[in-house]
């Protein structure tokens, strides 16, 4: 192959029974008699070593002409082939490759005792693969996918590096590992019983009672694990992981379904375990504020999702996040994104009120005998605005959305029954066995038009999932399809409950842009509930702030301007933000710092200009 290129074949998309092998028939090396693209049974007829169906294609990376040719990529009717040039600076073999023409990972993060190490990068780039390797759940094959990985070869590859000692301990079973999984909503599929039963199995450090209290999950201990919410599952999963006696703790996404207060609490608990007990922590996370607050150093991950990923050597947290946002890695001399992700430094814009789309009186809703009650003061939602909804978990935000959407009846007050609402729920349950494109086509009147393609499908990166079944989607893919489905309906009001969950930083920015542009172009009105402060800041014109006592009662004040809303919300949480001098991105102030104290004194918790 052309130097520093790889060929990737998506075996889920390669459908030889529905094509005429256009990739092979038009391949220039094939046309000169070479066997660059052949079927897998032809390539491995003698050894019988092929993955996928025998009629699916195999591409010889030695014979392929590389990305500059790209004929097979264009000719494949199912978009199953990628030919990708690797960075010129990459002069190492893969740490792991999943098979011929399959995903390859380059580089590994290096855990350090008493340190919290972060990994930041897009989904599908190999972060979880790196965690599996370092947790001793899979052995790196150094790109030799047809042979059993050999520890001697692995240790020789990493001799003299910061990973040598750690890998030697893995080989000798001298390191104990505790790992929190990425998708906590799958825990009920693996454990059937009470929450208490699950947690008591993990109390190896005698720290369970303290962790239960600090994570605030005492109320769910005697509930069935399949009856608790996503936020409760996330805190249970962290409690179970951090209660174990381990040398290294791997935490794969700690913030989904958690409010900002719970995120800060989780960061403090992890930080204390590293500082006070000299444990090594590795955290994969997309919430930049929490990474900034929590970690000592950071590895960036970049590449081509689903094709290859590269993990950089460690960087300082501030510089690493800033380089990631700018799209240019200085030490690597590598541009990983065409456009920078930027934050506005100035105070929120002045809002011009449009026509009232929804007006609701004071609403109340109670569950059971004193279980939970919500009181929402009367308010108005205007045409063309995005109304951000913020507040702790268990405070009634989703209940309020369901009252507006007509999915719940209020105890007092009445919502306009004629309001046409498109609703994306917080937890996306998919039990329809149909393809993504068929599902979206059944919803969107303008499906397939240039507008729908440009303003919804492209920013939400739907092209690669269109031919997949809904039930086969990952958490992030499912989220993007659900956002697209919500925006594809013709409605008076679009309700999106936690659209950032399981999306990486870039996907959050793209989703934010899609929602914002849709409201502006159509004079549409959106109500967005989310815990990602950055996303709410970029999206919202006004804020609806909830407070109260989680799981007991909640109050919603009328919608208000962003400055007043942010100050009220963050004052309730006792958290302040400052702006990075270089990028203007918001950063959490350390509690009790000079800036924290001054901003609280000034009553400015987020906007300081």
């Amino acid at each position: 192959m052309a130097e520093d290129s790889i060929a990737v074949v998506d075996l889920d998309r390669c459908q030889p029974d529905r094509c005429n092998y256009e990739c092979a028939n038009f391949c220039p090396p094939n046309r000169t008699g070479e066997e660059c693209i052949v079927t897998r049974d032809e390539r491995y007829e003698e050894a019988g070593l092929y993955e996928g169906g025998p009629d699916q294609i195999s591409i010889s990376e030695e014979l392929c002409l590389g990305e500059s040719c790209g004929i097979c990529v264009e000719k494949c009717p199912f978009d199953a082939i990628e030919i990708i040039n690797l960075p010129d600076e990459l002069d190492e073999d893969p740490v792991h490759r999943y098979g011929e023409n399959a995903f390859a990972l380059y580089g590994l993060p290096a855990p350090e005792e008493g340190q919290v190490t972060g990994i930041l990068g897009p989904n599908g780039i190999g972060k979880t693969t790196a965690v599996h390797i370092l947790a001793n759940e899979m052995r790196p094959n150094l790109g030799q996918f047809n042979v059993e990985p050999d520890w001697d070869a692995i240790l020789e590859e990493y001799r003299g590096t910061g990973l040598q000692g750690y890998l030697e301990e893995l080989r000798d079973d001298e390191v104990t590992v505790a790992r929190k999984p990425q998708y906590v909503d799958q825990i009920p599929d693996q454990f059937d019983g009470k929450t208490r039963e699950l947690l008591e199995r993990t109390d190896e450090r005698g720290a369970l009672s303290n962790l239960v209290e600090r994570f605030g999950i005492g109320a769910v201990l005697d509930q069935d694990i399949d009856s608790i919410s996503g936020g409760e599952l996330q805190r249970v999963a962290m409690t179970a992981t951090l209660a174990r006696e381990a040398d290294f703790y791997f935490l794969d996404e700690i913030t989904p379904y958690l409010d900002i207060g719970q995120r800060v609490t989780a960061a403090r608990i992890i930080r204390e375990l590293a500082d006070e007990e000299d444990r090594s922590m590795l955290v994969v996370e997309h919430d930049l504020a929490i990474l900034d607050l929590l970690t000592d150093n950071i590895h960036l991950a970049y590449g081509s999702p689903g094709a290859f990923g590269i993990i950089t050597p460690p960087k300082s947290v501030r510089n690493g996040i800033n380089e990631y946002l700018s799209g240019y890695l200085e030490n690597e001399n590598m541009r990983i994104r065409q456009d920078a992700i930027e934050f506005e430094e100035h105070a929120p814009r002045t809002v011009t009120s449009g026509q009232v789309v929804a007006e609701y009186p004071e609403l109340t809703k109670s569950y059971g005998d004193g279980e939970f009650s919500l009181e929402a003061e009367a308010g108005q939602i205007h045409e063309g605005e995005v109304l951000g909804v913020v507040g702790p978990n268990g405070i009634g935000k989703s209940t309020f959305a369901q009252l507006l959407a007509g999915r719940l009846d209020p105890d007092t007050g009445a919502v306009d029954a004629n309001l046409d609402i498109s609703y994306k729920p917080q937890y996306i349950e998919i039990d329809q066995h149909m393809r993504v494109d068929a599902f979206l086509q059944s919803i969107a009147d303008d499906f397939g038009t240039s507008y729908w393609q440009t303003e919804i499908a492209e920013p939400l990166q739907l092209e690669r999932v269109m031919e997949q079944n809904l039930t086969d989607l990952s958490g992030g893919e499912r989220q993007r399809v659900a956002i697209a489905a919500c925006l594809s309906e013709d409605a008076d009001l679009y309700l999106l409950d936690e659209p950032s969950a399981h999306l990486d930083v870039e996907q959050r920015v793209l989703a934010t842009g899609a929602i914002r542009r849709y409201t502006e172009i159509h004079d549409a009105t959106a109500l967005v509930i989310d815990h990602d402060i950055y996303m709410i800041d970029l999206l919202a014109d006004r804020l609806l702030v909830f407070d109260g006592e989680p799981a007991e009662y909640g109050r919603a004040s009328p919608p208000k301007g962003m400055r007043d809303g942010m100050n009220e919300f963050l004052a309730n949480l006792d958290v302040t933000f400052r702006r990075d001098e270089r990028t203007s991105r918001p950063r959490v102030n350390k509690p009790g710092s000079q800036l924290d104290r001054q901003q609280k004194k000034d009553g400015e918790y987020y906007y300081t200009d």
Side-chain angles (χ1 to χ4, degrees):
M1 175 178 277
E3 188 176 359
D4 298 324
S5 296
I6 63 170
V8 179
V9 178
D10 187 334
L11 297 180
D12 291 330
R13 302 173 72 90
C14 181
Q15 302 180 53
D17 56 334
R18 295 177 56 196
C19 76
N20 295 312
Y21 289 107
E22 289 89 347
C23 56
N25 293 333
F26 286 92
C27 171
N30 276 29
R31 292 168 74 92
T32 62
E34 297 185 274
E35 294 184 340
C36 179
I37 301 179
V38 297
T39 61
R40 297 198 165 214
D41 52 348
E42 289 177 301
R43 181 85 72 203
Y44 301 112
E45 184 176 8
E46 293 183 5
L49 296 173
Y50 57 79
E51 298 178 19
D55 294 331
Q56 292 180 303
I57 65 163
S58 163
I59 301 177
S60 167
E61 293 183 342
E62 289 73 26
L63 297 175
C64 179
L65 300 179
E67 190 176 0
S68 60
C69 170
I71 292 175
C72 59
V73 176
E74 295 297 324
K75 293 297 182 180
C76 176
F78 306 111
D79 195 25
I81 303 173
E82 289 186 87
I83 308 295
I84 302 169
N85 288 341
L86 297 173
D88 292 338
E89 292 79 7
L90 188 66
D91 57 358
E92 59 188 84
D93 293 326
V95 172
H96 190 81
R97 195 162 191 187
Y98 280 94
E100 184 191 44
N101 305 145
F103 180 86
L105 173 67
Y106 297 82
L108 282 175
E112 295 184 37
E113 289 186 12
Q115 300 271 300
V116 181
T117 299
I119 309 180
L120 171 63
N123 288 329
I125 212 75
K127 302 186 301 299
T128 301
T129 295
V131 169
H132 285 313
I133 291 172
L134 294 176
N136 208 20
E137 295 171 359
M138 61 186 292
R139 193 179 297 182
N141 61 24
L142 307 181
Q144 305 300 311
F145 49 83
N146 283 331
V147 297
E148 183 70 21
D150 177 70
W151 269 119
D152 290 339
I154 294 168
L155 293 174
E156 182 62 32
E157 179 72 19
Y158 287 95
R159 191 170 305 282
T161 71
L163 274 168
Q164 180 183 345
Y166 180 77
L167 292 173
E168 287 175 344
E169 290 179 335
L170 274 188
R171 177 199 60 185
D172 299 334
D173 292 323
E174 294 177 352
V175 57
T176 54
V177 175
R179 184 172 76 84
K180 188 202 82 67
Q182 179 179 15
Y183 297 117
V184 296
D185 49 2
Q186 296 175 2
I187 291 175
D189 297 332
Q190 301 161 6
F191 176 83
D192 182 22
K194 303 290 186 186
T195 303
R196 185 187 301 276
E197 297 170 21
L198 172 65
L199 291 177
E200 286 178 347
R201 298 180 182 182
T202 68
D203 190 18
E204 298 169 354
R205 297 195 300 115
L208 184 59
S209 296
N210 177 260
L211 290 170
V212 166
E213 180 181 355
R214 295 188 66 184
F215 276 118
I217 56 173
V220 304
L221 289 180
D222 294 315
Q223 293 184 29
D224 290 333
I225 198 75
D226 61 359
S227 71
I228 65 177
S229 70
E232 290 162 344
L233 272 174
Q234 186 70 266
R235 286 175 285 157
V236 166
M238 276 192 282
T239 299
T241 304
L242 298 177
R244 292 194 177 278
E245 179 66 52
D247 301 307
F248 296 92
Y249 295 83
F250 298 96
L251 301 128
D252 201 345
E253 292 196 27
I254 64 173
T255 63
Y257 308 124
L258 298 189
D259 61 49
I260 182 62
Q262 293 165 341
R263 295 177 184 198
V264 171
T265 295
R268 289 172 179 167
I269 293 171
I270 295 166
R271 181 74 263 168
E272 289 168 12
L273 187 57
D275 289 341
E276 296 172 9
E277 301 198 27
D278 213 26
R279 311 295 176 115
S280 292
M281 324 291 287
L282 182 65
V283 178
V284 176
E285 185 49 61
H286 300 301
D287 187 314
L288 301 182
I290 295 305
L291 270 180
D292 199 12
L293 181 67
L294 173 63
T295 55
D296 295 293
N297 56 72
I298 193 169
H299 296 263
L300 302 184
Y302 66 99
S304 179
F308 76 95
I310 301 171
I311 295 179
T312 70
K315 300 174 180 284
S316 72
V317 178
R318 180 174 179 268
N319 287 342
I321 293 177
N322 286 349
E323 286 182 20
Y324 186 79
L325 292 174
S326 73
Y328 177 72
L329 309 185
E330 295 180 0
N331 289 345
E332 291 76 13
N333 189 28
M334 172 61 55
R335 178 153 294 283
I336 61 173
R337 191 187 318 105
Q338 195 62 37
D339 300 314
I341 297 173
E342 298 178 340
F343 295 91
E344 297 181 5
E345 185 174 3
H346 57 74
R349 55 191 170 279
T350 302
V351 177
T352 303
S353 296
Q355 180 180 344
V356 174
V357 168
E359 185 170 8
Y360 52 91
E362 181 177 305
L363 301 172
T364 63
K365 178 68 179 178
S366 297
Y367 292 91
D369 184 16
E371 289 184 19
F372 176 79
S373 62
L374 169 67
E375 178 182 327
E377 296 183 46
Q380 296 177 337
I381 304 174
H382 300 131
E383 182 180 61
E385 79 169 338
V386 177
L387 181 62
V389 182
V390 294
N393 277 331
I395 210 76
K397 301 186 303 299
S398 294
T399 295
F400 178 78
Q402 292 180 64
L403 291 173
L404 287 185
R407 298 196 173 195
L408 286 176
D409 294 323
D411 297 335
T412 63
V415 178
D416 183 0
N418 296 318
L419 205 59
D420 191 5
I421 292 177
S422 179
Y423 178 51
K424 188 207 81 68
Q426 180 181 16
Y427 305 117
I428 303 163
E429 301 290 340
I430 291 180
D431 55 8
Q432 296 170 282
H433 291 276
M434 62 188 303
R435 285 183 12 162
V436 171
D437 51 3
F439 169 68
L440 292 173
Q441 191 168 11
S442 70
I443 294 172
D445 292 334
D446 59 349
F447 178 84
T449 64
S450 58
Y451 168 80
W452 190 91
Q453 189 67 31
T454 302
E455 299 299 334
I456 294 179
E458 288 182 8
L460 292 173
Q461 300 176 324
L462 298 181
E463 181 183 1
R464 299 288 296 180
V465 302
M466 280 295 190
E467 295 183 359
Q468 293 187 36
N469 288 320
L470 290 169
T471 51
D472 294 333
L473 299 178
S474 70
E477 291 166 345
R478 185 175 297 188
Q479 186 71 261
R480 293 181 345 247
V481 169
I483 295 170
C486 180
L487 296 180
S488 294
E489 294 191 50
D490 187 16
D492 300 313
L493 179 63
Y494 295 85
L495 295 181
L496 297 104
D497 197 344
E498 203 158 340
S500 73
H502 298 306
L503 299 187
D504 62 42
V505 174
E506 294 173 70
Q507 290 168 346
R508 292 180 190 195
V509 171
L510 291 170
T512 297
I515 297 167
R516 184 81 230 179
R517 280 194 304 275
Y518 188 90
T519 60
E520 292 174 348
I521 292 171
H522 292 273
D523 282 331
T525 305
L527 185 148
V528 179
I529 303 170
D530 211 281
H531 296 302
D532 188 312
I533 294 294
Y534 296 174
M535 190 171 192
I536 287 292
D537 186 33
L538 290 169
L539 260 180
D541 298 298
R542 294 192 299 158
L543 279 186
L544 183 60
V545 180
F546 282 69
D547 66 0
E549 187 65 34
E552 293 185 18
Y553 66 90
R555 293 187 301 264
S557 56
K560 57 188 63 179
M562 289 294 291
R563 184 174 224 125
D564 290 341
M566 279 291 196
N567 282 335
E568 178 183 341
F569 169 54
L570 294 176
N572 291 337
L573 297 172
D574 199 33
V575 174
T576 61
F577 283 76
R578 69 189 185 281
R579 296 281 175 170
D580 183 84
E581 296 177 358
R582 177 177 167 188
T583 65
S584 297
R585 69 178 170 89
R587 304 177 67 190
V588 179
N589 287 323
K590 295 201 182 318
S593 66
Q594 182 178 351
L595 268 176
D596 181 60
R597 296 195 306 271
Q598 183 62 50
Q599 286 181 223
K600 287 174 180 175
K601 180 181 177 182
D602 296 340
E604 293 290 357
Y605 285 73
Y606 190 78
Y607 303 106
T608 57
D609 56 332

